Amino acid sequence: MNLDLVPLGWMHSLACLVALAAGAFIFATPKGTSRHRQLGRAYLASMLVLNLTALGIYQLGVFFFPHVLAVVTLVLMAAGWGAARMIRRHVAWKHVHLSCMILTYYMLIGGGVNEVYLRIDALKVILNQEGPGLIAMTHRIVMLVFVILLLGWNASEIGKLAMRKRQRASIPGS
């Protein structure tokens, strides 16, 4: 395993691990609780650190595609955080928040896919034998999982909203 990193790379990697753990707990625990908000803040902070440090990592000496992905992720984080602040004002913000957070976690996992193929020697050997199509296939599988999550959780929330509307409509005098 190749962990030959500069201090900025170590800070980036540590923030990635915190974001991976916080994001996983957020997905697995009830939403809207104080614990969800605490984990959300940890996720937000770690994602900010990892994406800002990503902008300072120049292995090739130029601003290239991973830097663009870091900027996109920062924009998604800002939109997701802003939507979380607006949820109480309008229910549609819940879908924006949910979608942005799922997409930021997808970006985190997608970056992780690249890193494991670059850092784990056994996977690097397989990659050299199979070619770049292996990384592409892995990314397609990850993308499919996240598209299913994105559609599933949003459909679930839309279903809950529709059920609440029907319940309100069935109450006399409302």
Side-chain angles (χ1 to χ4, degrees):
M1 182 176 288
N2 179 5
L3 294 178
D4 185 24
L5 301 173
V6 297
L8 186 65
W10 280 107
M11 188 164 48
H12 176 78
S13 298
L14 180 61
C16 288
L17 293 174
V18 172
L20 281 169
F25 278 111
I26 288 168
F27 285 129
T29 57
K31 311 301 174 254
T33 64
S34 62
R35 181 181 179 138
H36 176 84
R37 287 188 291 279
Q38 289 172 334
L39 288 168
R41 286 185 202 104
Y43 181 71
L44 175 69
S46 60
M47 288 293 283
L48 287 172
V49 169
L50 80 89
N51 283 287
L52 291 173
T53 56
L55 294 174
I57 298 172
Y58 284 92
Q59 189 170 3
L60 300 177
V62 295
F63 190 90
F64 71 119
F65 189 63
H67 296 110
V68 173
L69 294 176
V71 171
V72 168
T73 304
L74 288 168
V75 169
L76 287 168
M77 289 300 299
W81 178 82
R85 311 300 296 167
M86 302 298 287
I87 285 174
R88 285 182 174 53
R89 293 195 180 111
H90 195 282
V91 73
W93 289 108
K94 182 185 277 187
H95 301 287
V96 174
H97 173 68
L98 182 62
S99 298
C100 286
M101 293 302 102
I102 290 171
L103 289 170
T104 61
Y105 202 70
Y106 164 72
M107 299 292 265
L108 176 64
I109 298 295
V113 167
N114 291 340
E115 285 300 312
V116 298
Y117 278 110
L118 292 174
R119 304 253 177 230
I120 298 176
D121 295 331
L123 289 177
K124 200 184 295 187
V125 168
I126 294 169
L127 179 62
N128 288 335
Q129 291 170 353
E130 298 297 323
L134 181 61
I135 290 180
M137 181 188 66
T138 307
H139 276 292
R140 283 193 284 279
I141 292 168
V142 170
M143 188 181 298
L144 178 62
V145 167
F146 276 90
V147 165
I148 291 168
L149 286 174
L150 188 62
L151 295 175
W153 270 330
N154 272 299
S156 170
E157 289 300 320
I158 290 170
K160 289 177 190 175
L161 180 62
M163 186 174 293
R164 277 188 235 126
K165 282 186 178 182
R166 277 188 296 236
Q167 287 173 343
R168 278 190 226 123
S170 68
I171 298 173
S174 59

